[in-house]
Amino acid sequence: MKVRRFDLLGLPARITRVWRRSLQFRTVVASMALSGVAIILVGLYMSFSISNDLFASRLNQVLSESQRAQVAAQRIFDSSDASDQASMQSVMNAARTAIRDSSSSGLIAVYRVPDQEPNPLAPQNFSSTELTGGVITPELKAQVMTTADQQFWQSVELPINGSTVPGVVVGSQLDIPGAGLYELFIGYDFEQSEQTLLFVQQVLWFSGFGLLILVGGVAWVVSRMVVSPLKNAAETSQKLAAGDLAVRIPEKGEDVVATLARSFNDMAGSMQRQLTELADLSVMQQRFVSDVSHELRTPLTTIKLAGDVLFQERENFDAKTRRSTELLNAQVLRFEKLLGDLLEISRYDAGSVNLEPEPTNVAGLVQDVVGTMTTLAEQHGCDLSLSAPGGHFDADIDPRRVRRILMNLIGNAIEHGENKPIDIAVDSNATAVAISVRDHGVGMDAEQLEQVFSRFWRADPSRKRTLGGTGLGLAISLEDARVHNGLLDVWAAPGEGALFRLTLPRDLEVPIASSPLPLDPTEES
């Protein structure tokens, strides 16, 4: 049996991921956090209030009891006629009993006020064990000693049954006739009040925790009611963006969410109608171009055959007729190439292009194309140079389409190279092979670079074409590169020429990590 180990180290990352992705989770956590802060503040306030009320209530009670005990003891002393120490001690014992009965506390201490003249009738001091050992502070004794008709109290820790409990010691003064002034201290433990406070605090915290869980549950339910339609709308939007134009959001009720659903569905319906119209129009346009191109092939073939006959017999014509025959032949050839390019573009627009990859030596293919274009370059005063440090391996490419790209790039370099050398390079890395064609001619500015792959666009409309281009070559080359999952990039600068870089994957299933050739020739080492 395979046991899964819970990864505590990855828990924060998972929580962070859920926090970023789940609106419902954020809503519940935020509601519980804010509610928790409010519950803590209210709990602290109630705890302090109850604590103060319990203490104040208990203090008033013990002060009242202490007052009654002091009055009862003083009454006993005032009514006493003791004339010797033994009888005075008996009166003191009676007063002690009266104090205990009146105060309901057995923690009693009576001390004779110091700095009085010795008196043989003065009874002995006595104190409960719990009030010894510094429980009664000198400050409390000083207050009682200096003020006769007032009670003083102090919070203390009382040692009872081997442990300390909170309590209060109340002090007052007794005047024993014939014996002098005495200090009366009565101790009261507040343990029961403390237990009551602890119980109330526990109830408050448990109630707060339960309330927090309840708030979390309510927030979860409420946020689910709000988030679920939004989540449904998001999923519907993703499906709509993926091309499923028929998807819609369910409409329920008449609230804001239902209004949003209706508005979204209306928008989706409008988009579907418009996209369908555009698609139909695009299909009609592509079909028109394809049909026209096919229909023109028959008369073009006839015209070409007739033109070829005339072109072959041009030497038998006069100079004017011979020139017209040559122009006719050149334009028929250009028209034939234009029809071929239009058909190819229409196939890309219709999405009906089928790639035919086969293992091909890229460097050998480039060398073959360069050999084919050398004569044309020499006629235009250009020198083609090939550098192929890499690329001598078989790559899965469609050689016909790559050959067409290279012939177009080299042809354009010859066209715009201003009779200057043209540098061609081939290199490769682990994932890609790249081919660059660099001329040193007129170059292009930034505005022209943005239009360089547009259909029928020319960098200089006033410039005469010498190679019979159709204006579709670079557009078709870009599509040929894309169908290989490759890239066709361009760099150019006015007066410095242009560089076109074709990057193709070595394996159609493995994406290109980086191009082995730099795009900017000024960055070459």
Side-chain angles (χ1 to χ4, degrees):
M1 179 179 179
K2 185 177 180 180
V3 180
R4 293 186 177 179
R5 185 171 60 183
F6 187 71
D7 185 10
L8 292 177
L9 296 178
L11 185 59
R14 286 197 292 271
I15 294 176
T16 302
R17 184 164 57 252
V18 174
W19 173 269
R20 291 198 306 265
R21 295 180 178 179
S22 177
L23 176 60
Q24 188 174 3
F25 179 75
R26 293 199 301 271
T27 302
V28 172
V29 171
S31 300
M32 293 185 67
L34 294 176
S35 300
V37 172
I39 290 173
I40 290 174
L41 293 177
V42 172
L44 291 175
Y45 172 76
M46 293 182 65
S47 178
F48 283 119
S49 298
I50 293 173
S51 175
N52 291 335
D53 289 344
L54 284 174
F55 182 80
S57 176
R58 177 62 175 155
L59 180 62
N60 291 332
Q61 180 184 359
V62 301
L63 290 177
S64 177
E65 292 179 359
S66 179
Q67 180 69 29
R68 288 199 305 269
Q70 190 268 344
V71 170
Q74 188 64 52
R75 187 180 297 117
I76 291 175
F77 289 131
D78 291 341
S79 62
S80 171
D81 55 355
S83 58
D84 55 36
Q85 187 175 10
S87 58
M88 185 64 71
Q89 191 64 44
S90 298
V91 173
M92 176 62 77
N93 292 335
R96 181 177 180 180
T97 302
I99 292 171
R100 183 174 61 250
D101 294 339
S102 299
S103 64
S104 67
S105 173
L107 308 180
I108 303 170
V110 177
Y111 301 104
R112 192 169 188 268
V113 174
D115 299 332
Q116 297 185 83
E117 294 182 2
N119 190 335
L121 295 178
Q124 296 294 323
N125 296 339
F126 68 88
S127 175
S128 299
T129 307
E130 292 81 1
L131 297 182
T132 60
V135 173
I136 303 174
T137 63
E139 291 80 5
L140 181 60
K141 289 183 177 180
Q143 289 177 328
V144 173
M145 182 178 63
T146 56
T147 306
D149 299 328
Q150 190 173 349
Q151 292 187 108
F152 297 93
W153 62 273
Q154 188 175 49
S155 295
V156 296
E157 293 287 338
L158 298 176
I160 298 177
N161 297 328
S163 62
T164 58
V165 297
V168 167
V169 174
V170 180
S172 58
Q173 199 176 99
L174 292 174
D175 185 5
I176 303 178
L181 298 176
Y182 279 75
E183 296 172 335
L184 171 62
F185 298 99
I186 306 175
Y188 299 88
D189 75 86
F190 278 39
E191 184 178 9
Q192 186 175 1
S193 299
E194 184 183 39
Q195 294 296 330
T196 303
L197 178 61
L198 290 176
F199 175 76
V200 171
Q201 289 177 339
Q202 290 177 354
V203 171
L204 287 175
W205 292 122
F206 278 114
S207 300
F209 181 75
L211 181 60
L212 186 62
I213 298 299
L214 181 62
V215 169
V218 172
W220 177 269
V221 173
V222 174
S223 62
R224 185 177 180 83
M225 294 173 59
V226 177
V227 171
S228 293
L230 296 179
K231 184 179 180 180
N232 190 14
E235 293 175 351
T236 305
S237 300
Q238 291 177 348
K239 294 178 181 178
L240 187 65
D244 186 2
L245 301 180
V247 68
R248 296 293 185 271
I249 300 177
E251 299 179 16
K252 298 179 181 179
E254 299 180 357
D255 53 11
V256 177
V257 176
T259 303
L260 173 63
R262 284 192 294 271
S263 300
F264 182 90
N265 292 339
D266 293 341
M267 179 191 69
S270 177
M271 287 180 56
Q272 184 179 18
R273 289 191 298 271
Q274 295 181 17
L275 290 176
T276 301
E277 293 175 0
L278 290 175
D280 294 340
L281 180 61
S282 177
V283 171
M284 291 176 59
Q285 185 179 20
Q286 295 166 14
R287 186 177 302 167
F288 173 77
V289 173
S290 178
D291 292 345
V292 169
S293 300
H294 280 290
E295 290 298 325
L296 287 177
R297 278 195 173 278
T298 299
L300 177 62
T301 302
T302 304
I303 294 173
K304 187 174 184 301
L305 291 174
D308 289 343
V309 173
L310 292 175
F311 187 73
Q312 292 174 2
E313 298 294 331
R314 67 186 182 279
E315 297 298 335
N316 298 326
F317 301 148
D318 58 78
K320 185 175 181 181
T321 305
R322 183 168 59 251
R323 178 58 180 163
S324 298
T325 302
E326 293 172 348
L327 290 175
L328 175 63
N329 182 73
Q331 293 303 314
V332 168
L333 292 176
R334 184 170 181 270
F335 189 30
E336 184 179 31
K337 188 175 186 306
L338 176 60
L339 279 179
D341 289 347
L342 285 173
L343 281 173
E344 189 68 16
I345 283 290
S346 66
R347 293 191 190 98
Y348 275 112
D349 291 341
S352 60
V353 174
N354 295 320
L355 193 66
E356 299 177 357
E358 59 183 65
T360 305
N361 186 292
V362 178
L365 177 63
V366 176
Q367 187 174 11
D368 183 50
V369 174
V370 170
T372 302
M373 302 292 289
T374 298
T375 302
L376 181 63
E378 291 176 349
Q379 292 175 358
H380 288 77
C382 297
D383 181 24
L384 298 181
S385 64
L386 173 62
S387 172
H392 298 275
F393 55 85
D394 290 343
D396 290 333
I397 61 174
D398 188 334
R400 181 181 66 85
R401 297 184 185 279
V402 174
R403 182 184 297 272
R404 180 167 61 191
I405 296 174
L406 293 176
M407 293 187 68
N408 185 271
L409 296 181
I410 296 174
N412 282 343
I414 294 173
E415 176 81 27
H416 302 281
E418 300 291 315
N419 303 326
K420 296 178 181 179
I422 297 173
D423 303 323
I424 303 167
V426 184
D427 206 347
S428 62
N429 58 23
T431 60
V433 58
I435 307 163
S436 66
V437 178
R438 165 78 192 281
D439 68 71
H440 300 80
V442 294
M444 291 179 286
D445 56 26
E447 183 179 355
Q448 292 172 329
L449 279 174
E450 294 180 359
Q451 301 291 330
V452 69
F453 293 111
S454 300
R455 299 176 183 180
F456 299 107
W457 180 82
R458 296 180 64 184
D460 185 3
S462 63
R463 184 182 182 90
K464 179 182 177 182
R465 292 188 183 270
T466 60
L467 301 182
T470 63
L472 295 173
L474 287 177
I476 294 175
S477 297
L478 181 62
E479 297 295 340
D480 284 338
R482 287 174 176 172
V483 80
H484 280 87
N485 297 325
L487 302 170
L488 182 58
D489 304 306
V490 60
W491 169 91
E496 297 183 20
L499 183 147
F500 285 84
R501 183 186 65 184
L502 172 65
T503 307
L504 302 173
R506 295 178 62 171
D507 187 337
L508 292 175
E509 302 299 327
V510 179
I512 298 172
S514 62
S515 180
L517 290 175
L519 180 61
D520 188 346
T522 61
E523 296 179 358
E524 295 180 354
S525 58

